[in-house]
């Protein structure tokens, strides 16, 4: 597998009913090239957001997403091919990892929160592209600047293989660290939500105890007052 190239990710918020629209609009936002792309955004209640990723034939698209915050920690996920075919559909899932072999065209993936009428969701996703078709050109560029390999008793292919191996491991380390940060953010949001719930119900219990105590004192007072009235 060749070195990875940072995808050009086009962000587009689609209105409901425009699910079959596959061509990105002119002037859409574009990410700068890198090994991979990750993005965190807030999806309001009752809304759907879609993203486009141009791909080449016989390349690989890997997508991982997680719902970091929001009631239920769930979202609907769709992945469509350039022909409009549904490749992946996750219903009310909190996370997912999907890898597809691609063809030429723009792939569309959507996060759908239309089933929720109150709660917004915070969603993290990461894209990793492989075999984007420029490996051979990179090796030719290296050969232009390396001379005298016979005298140094070394092979350019061995150097490239070692560099690519180190590059792949570094990229994998960055990916794992990014995912760990996403897990930490989701766990922190869950703990903060539990903390708020504990405080809320503690205050409710305290209020109930105060009311019950007041009622008991009143009832005891009324019993003694009734006895004094009956004796007179």
């Amino acid at each position: 597998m060749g070195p990875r190239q940072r995808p050009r990710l086009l962000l587009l918020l689609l209105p409901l009913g425009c699910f079959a629209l596959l061509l990105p609009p002119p002037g859409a936002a574009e990410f700068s090239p890198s090994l991979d792309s990750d993005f965190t955004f807030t999806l309001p209640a009752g809304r759907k957001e879609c993203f486009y990723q141009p791909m080449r034939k016989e390349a690989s698209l890997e997508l991982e997403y997680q719902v970091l915050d929001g009631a239920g920690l769930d979202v609907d996920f769709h992945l469509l091919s350039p022909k409009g075919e549904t490749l992946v559909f996750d219903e009310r899932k909190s996370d997912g990892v999907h890898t597809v072999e691609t063809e030429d065209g723009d792939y569309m993936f959507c996060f759908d929160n239309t089933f929720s009428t109150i709660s917004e969701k915070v969603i993290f996703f990461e894209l990793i592209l492989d075999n984007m078709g420029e490996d051979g050109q990179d090796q030719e560029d290296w050969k232009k600047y390396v001379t005298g390999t016979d005298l140094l008793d070394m092979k350019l292919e061995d150097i490239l293989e070692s560099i690519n191996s180190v590059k792949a491991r570094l990229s994998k380390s960055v990916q794992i660290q990014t995912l760990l940060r996403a897990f930490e953010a989701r766990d922190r949001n869950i703990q903060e939500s539990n903390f708020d719930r504990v405080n809320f119900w503690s205050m409710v219990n305290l209020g109930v105890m105060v009311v019950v105590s007041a009622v008991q004192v009143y009832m005891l007072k009324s019993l003694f007052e009734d006895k004094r009235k009956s004796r007179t």
Side-chain angles (χ1 to χ4, degrees):
M1 188 172 290
R4 294 170 176 169
Q5 180 185 14
R6 188 181 191 93
R8 296 184 301 107
L9 185 61
L10 301 177
L11 169 62
L12 176 63
L13 175 61
L14 293 183
L16 298 178
C18 296
F19 197 66
L21 185 61
L22 292 180
L23 292 179
E30 181 177 340
F31 290 93
S32 58
S34 106
L35 294 176
D36 55 64
S37 293
D38 56 85
F39 188 48
T40 302
F41 68 100
T42 300
L43 181 59
R47 297 288 293 275
K48 176 174 68 175
E49 287 199 17
C50 293
F51 302 82
Y52 290 92
Q53 175 55 53
M55 295 298 298
R56 298 182 180 182
K57 188 176 181 181
E58 297 181 355
S60 175
L61 170 63
E62 179 180 348
L63 190 148
E64 177 165 355
Y65 69 90
Q66 295 179 29
V67 181
L68 302 182
D69 194 15
L73 293 177
D74 54 358
V75 72
D76 290 345
F77 173 78
H78 306 262
L79 176 61
L80 274 71
S81 70
K83 297 179 182 178
E85 301 172 347
T86 300
L87 303 178
V88 177
F89 173 62
D90 291 341
E91 185 176 6
R92 309 281 302 259
K93 293 290 186 67
S94 62
D95 55 67
V97 181
H98 302 287
T99 303
V100 294
E101 302 298 323
T102 62
E103 57 187 16
D104 289 331
D106 296 323
Y107 283 75
M108 181 175 74
F109 54 97
C110 298
F111 299 95
D112 192 347
N113 194 32
T114 55
F115 60 84
S116 177
T117 57
I118 299 176
S119 175
E120 64 180 16
K121 307 294 172 61
V122 178
I123 301 174
F124 162 85
F125 69 87
E126 183 177 20
L127 283 177
I128 299 176
L129 304 187
D130 285 323
N131 296 334
M132 290 300 287
E134 296 184 356
D135 302 348
Q137 183 63 37
D138 293 340
Q139 293 183 2
E140 291 298 327
D141 293 339
W142 273 94
K143 291 179 181 179
K144 294 178 182 179
Y145 298 102
V146 178
T147 58
T149 55
D150 294 336
L151 297 178
L152 297 176
D153 193 20
M154 60 187 299
K155 294 182 179 180
L156 177 61
E157 289 77 9
D158 296 336
I159 298 176
L160 290 176
E161 183 178 356
S162 300
I163 293 175
N164 289 334
S165 176
V166 173
K167 186 178 181 181
R169 294 183 183 215
L170 289 175
S171 178
K172 189 65 177 179
S173 299
V174 172
Q175 179 187 3
I176 293 175
Q177 291 176 355
T178 302
L179 294 179
L180 289 177
R181 285 197 298 269
F183 281 121
E184 189 274 335
R186 183 172 67 178
D187 293 341
R188 184 176 65 252
N189 290 330
I190 293 175
Q191 293 298 327
E192 291 177 353
S193 177
N194 291 338
F195 177 76
D196 293 336
R197 290 181 182 178
V198 170
N199 286 338
F200 172 76
W201 287 111
S202 297
M203 295 300 296
V204 171
N205 289 334
L206 180 61
V208 171
M209 290 176 62
V210 171
V211 172
V212 170
S213 300
V215 171
Q216 289 178 343
V217 171
Y218 174 78
M219 293 297 294
L220 288 174
K221 267 183 85 174
S222 63
L223 289 175
F224 284 109
E225 288 177 358
D226 290 340
K227 287 180 178 180
R228 287 197 299 270
K229 288 179 180 179
S230 63
R231 287 177 181 176
T232 59

